[in-house]
Amino acid sequence: MEIKEAKFLKSSVQIGQCPPTDLPEFAFIGRSNVGKSSLINMLTNNKNLAKTSGKPGKTRLINHFIVDDRWYLVDLPGFGYAKVSKKERAKWERNTYLYLEKRENLHMIFLLIDSRIPPQKIDLEFMQWLASKQLPFVLLFTKCDKLKSEKVDDNLKAYVAELRKSWKDIPFALKTSSEDKTGREEILSLISEMI
Ligand code: GTP
Ligand code: MG
C-alpha cells in the first residue's frame, strides 16, 4: 500500500473529544522518546507531520492524522516520562489508557520498544496490561539504524527470551528505523490487510 496524502486532523485531551469512529484506526504507543512521532512521519513520508523532539515528553495529546481519507493514524503521548508532575503524568496516562481500552474503531496498537536497550519493566508491564484487556498489539523495535544488525538481532533474541518467561505466545514483532525506513513496507501491508 502506498500513502498519497496524510493530514493532521485533531488533537484531543481525551477519548470524548476524538473524531468520529467511522474509519479504521491505528495507534502508536511506547515510552517517551522511543520514536512514535518519527515513525508516523516515516510511514507517511512527511517529516513535518507529527512533531518530534530530541527531548522526551514532546507529544502530550491524542493526535489524529487522516490518511487518504480512509484511515486514521494516532500519535499518543509517551509513558514513563519523569520530568512532569506526578499529577500531570497520571492524567495523560489515564486518558491514554481509556482511549486504548474504549476506542471502538482501534484496529491495532503498535507498541514501540527501543531496540538498543534490554527489556524494561515498564514495557513488559504495559504489554501485560494490553493482554489483560485483550487489546491487539504488534511490537515495533525502533532505531535499528543505530546498531549493527547482528547487535539488533542479539537484543531481539534476548527480548524474546524474556517474554517467554511469562508469555505462551510471543507477540508479532518487526524491526524498524525511521532513518532508513526499515519496516515501512511491512507495517503498511499489515495496516492494509486490516483495513
Ligand atoms: P514523545 O512524543 O516525547 O513521547 O517521543 P516520541 O516517541 O514521539 O519520539 P520522537 O519521534 O519525537 O523521537 C525522539 C528522538 O529519537 C528524536 O530525536 C528522533 O530524531 C529520534 N529517532 C526517532 N526514531 C529514530 C530512528 O529510527 N533512528 C534514529 N537514529 N533516531 C530516531
Ligand atoms: Mg511524540
Side-chain angles (χ1 to χ4, degrees):
M1 176 174 66
E2 258 317 318
I3 291 177
K4 287 196 198 76
E5 186 190 41
K7 289 179 292 197
F8 169 73
L9 192 64
K10 189 178 185 191
S11 293
S12 312
V13 173
Q14 42 151 300
I15 185 168
Q17 302 161 351
C18 288
T21 53
D22 53 347
L23 298 175
E25 183 158 317
F26 302 87
F28 293 77
I29 183 80
R31 279 183 307 121
S32 266
N33 210 44
V34 71
K36 301 173 291 294
S37 303
S38 303
L39 198 79
I40 286 178
N41 292 346
M42 180 273 259
L43 291 174
T44 56
N45 275 331
N46 182 345
K47 275 203 167 1
N48 303 314
L49 191 65
K51 291 196 183 78
T52 66
S53 169
K55 288 195 210 118
K58 180 70 182 172
T59 309
R60 299 186 173 207
L61 295 165
I62 303 169
N63 295 295
H64 276 78
F65 302 93
I66 183 159
V67 184
D68 293 335
D69 296 323
R70 279 205 313 141
W71 51 283
Y72 296 127
L73 275 175
V74 180
D75 192 13
L76 293 167
F79 52 78
Y81 178 52
K83 280 193 184 155
V84 285
S85 71
K86 255 197 179 151
K87 206 174 142 198
E88 179 83 346
R89 198 167 126 188
K91 195 178 79 190
W92 288 358
E93 292 186 353
R94 201 170 47 243
N95 285 334
T96 305
Y97 278 45
L98 267 178
Y99 160 82
L100 291 171
E101 198 181 336
K102 305 284 185 208
R103 183 78 173 160
E104 290 160 27
N105 57 328
L106 184 57
H107 278 43
M108 182 59 74
I109 296 162
F110 291 99
L111 172 58
L112 278 64
I113 309 269
D114 193 324
S115 66
R116 299 169 299 172
I117 53 174
Q120 303 288 302
K121 193 163 165 250
I122 192 169
D123 291 327
L124 298 168
E125 285 175 355
F126 187 73
M127 270 181 242
Q128 294 291 355
W129 179 79
L130 290 172
S132 75
K133 299 290 176 190
Q134 295 185 303
L135 295 169
F137 68 97
V138 163
L139 301 180
L140 299 181
F141 288 94
T142 64
K143 309 191 185 184
C144 288
D145 61 283
K146 288 205 171 194
L147 293 177
K148 286 212 173 87
S149 75
E150 304 86 69
K151 184 66 188 152
V152 173
D153 289 337
D154 286 350
N155 285 0
L156 299 206
K157 270 186 211 147
Y159 215 98
V160 169
E162 182 62 38
L163 289 176
R164 286 209 193 285
K165 291 181 190 168
S166 42
W167 292 71
K168 188 156 66 71
D169 300 314
I170 301 300
F172 185 70
L174 286 172
K175 293 184 231 180
T176 73
S177 160
S178 299
E179 283 294 311
D180 64 19
K181 298 191 187 269
T182 300
R184 185 172 185 274
E185 295 281 311
E186 289 92 336
I187 297 168
L188 290 180
S189 29
L190 265 181
I191 291 175
S192 158
E193 276 168 35
M194 283 182 277
I195 291 173

